[in-house]
Amino acid sequence: MDHTSRVGIFIAVVQARSFAGAARDLGITSSAVSKQIQNLELDLQVKLLNRTTRNVSVTEEGAIYFERAKRALEDLEEAKEQIYELKSHPRGPLKVSLPLSLGVKYLGPAVAQFAATYPDVELDVSLDERFVDIASEGFDLVLRIGSLKDTSLIARRLASCPFVLCASGDYLERNGTPIAPEDLLEHNVLAFTRNTGLHEWRYKDSAGQTGQVSLSGSFKSDSGDVLCHTAVEGVGIAILPVFYVAEHLKSQRLLQLLPDHLTWPERDIHAVFQPNRFQSTRLRLLVDHLAATCKQLPWE
């Protein structure tokens, strides 16, 4: 076995934190993994791994070698992909994360269409409402809603995503219609528990003035869909991204409130990539396809 292959086995062991785990991932025996790690250490004349009966950990030298070697192998793989794609058609894996409700309601058909158009692209699509760590979880592409806090990432804006204050007609008949942000103090405002910080609404009015108002309510959830359904049932006022409520606003099961006051800061839908990573043709094609889809969203 050549040196590069041994390096690949070493990386697999570190990532799996065991010889057995690496062996399963690579489809070889544990003894073969152990032998190739020993050969690599002999080649380098340094100990790369600490071995115990329960687990494997990297030495200081091993950690340095892992980071550099992993980057080098990724560069080689990306170079191979670039050459292949110059003379052929898009192929290979793409791991993608989409916001759950936005993905289900509006982007699912577009992703399916892309898969049908490019059958040699191996799509792994995850839909979740949690914050995804693009680097540690190995995603090629993540769609995020809101302001981007990590300035080291590369992002492309795809669409706006305004937040809407809304309630059912039944709720407003029983409790009155707020005509100013301060009126929300007297209302049952549903709380989204994935928001960090206090239960409050920050806004900008038609004159460009910003402000905030503290909120209270008897219902909270970590699901925007649940909050939307709860608002439709007349429990309280919801403050949600437009994609949760667009259909209900159209049918007037929900009515928009304070339309001259917009949630601040503004939120957008971004395609986010890892920095210093080769953007393959298949990734660029998928982002372009999603961007075209987002231009057709009902609120754009």
Side-chain angles (χ1 to χ4, degrees), residues 57-227:
S57 62
V58 292
T59 63
E60 181 179 358
E61 295 86 352
I64 294 171
Y65 190 74
F66 171 77
E67 292 298 331
R68 298 293 295 271
K70 182 172 181 291
R71 193 178 313 138
L73 287 188
E74 287 174 349
D75 287 343
L76 287 172
E77 184 62 28
E78 289 172 358
K80 184 173 70 174
E81 289 182 9
Q82 281 185 293
I83 291 171
Y84 183 88
E85 290 183 347
L86 284 173
K87 63 179 183 179
S88 186
H89 58 279
R91 59 169 294 181
L94 271 183
K95 188 176 181 181
V96 181
S97 173
L98 305 177
L100 177 60
S101 292
L102 178 65
V104 170
K105 294 177 187 293
Y106 295 105
L107 301 181
V111 172
Q113 184 184 53
F114 181 87
T117 304
Y118 301 104
D120 290 332
V121 176
E122 304 159 20
L123 278 168
D124 180 354
V125 182
S126 174
L127 285 85
D128 208 321
E129 288 189 344
R130 67 184 178 86
F131 182 87
V132 171
D133 188 324
I134 184 171
S136 67
E137 298 183 52
F139 285 100
D140 299 294
L141 170 67
V142 171
L143 260 60
R144 285 187 180 159
I145 300 169
S147 55
L148 298 176
K149 298 178 181 179
D150 189 344
T151 57
S152 69
L153 297 175
I154 300 171
R156 174 179 170 183
R157 182 186 180 278
L158 301 183
S160 65
C161 187
F163 277 51
V164 179
L165 273 76
C166 55
S168 69
D170 289 342
Y171 174 85
L172 298 176
E173 285 181 11
R174 287 184 278 108
N175 299 279
T177 300
I179 59 174
E182 294 74 21
D183 296 341
L184 295 175
L185 294 169
E186 307 301 323
H187 283 269
N188 186 29
V189 182
L190 313 178
F192 184 53
T193 55
R194 288 185 184 269
N195 283 341
T196 56
L198 301 174
H199 185 28
E200 62 185 17
W201 181 46
R202 299 182 181 182
Y203 61 87
K204 178 190 283 189
D205 64 22
S206 57
Q209 298 297 311
T210 60
Q212 65 185 61
V213 57
S214 297
L215 308 172
S216 61
S218 63
F219 188 94
K220 58 186 178 181
S221 174
D222 64 355
S223 167
D225 284 306
V226 169
L227 292 176

Side-chain angles (χ1 to χ4, degrees), residues 22-37:
R24 285 193 301 271
D25 294 339
L26 298 171
I28 60 178
T29 64
S30 295
S31 60
V33 170
S34 178
K35 179 181 179 181
Q36 295 308 321
I37 294 299

Side-chain angles (χ1 to χ4, degrees), residues 242-296:
V242 64
F243 60 83
Y244 285 110
V245 299
E247 295 177 358
H248 298 300
L249 292 172
K250 184 177 181 180
S251 67
Q252 296 191 322
R253 297 183 73 189
L254 290 174
L255 304 176
Q256 185 173 0
L257 306 174
L258 302 174
D260 293 332
H261 293 73
L262 304 177
T263 296
W264 182 258
E266 297 173 348
R267 269 78 164 184
D268 291 320
I269 302 170
H270 288 94
V272 180
F273 321 91
Q274 293 191 51
N276 304 320
R277 288 288 298 273
F278 162 65
Q279 292 185 18
S280 62
T281 299
R282 61 183 180 276
L283 177 57
R284 293 194 299 273
L285 286 170
L286 176 59
V287 174
D288 288 343
H289 184 66
L290 292 176
T293 301
C294 285
K295 287 181 181 179
Q296 305 303 316

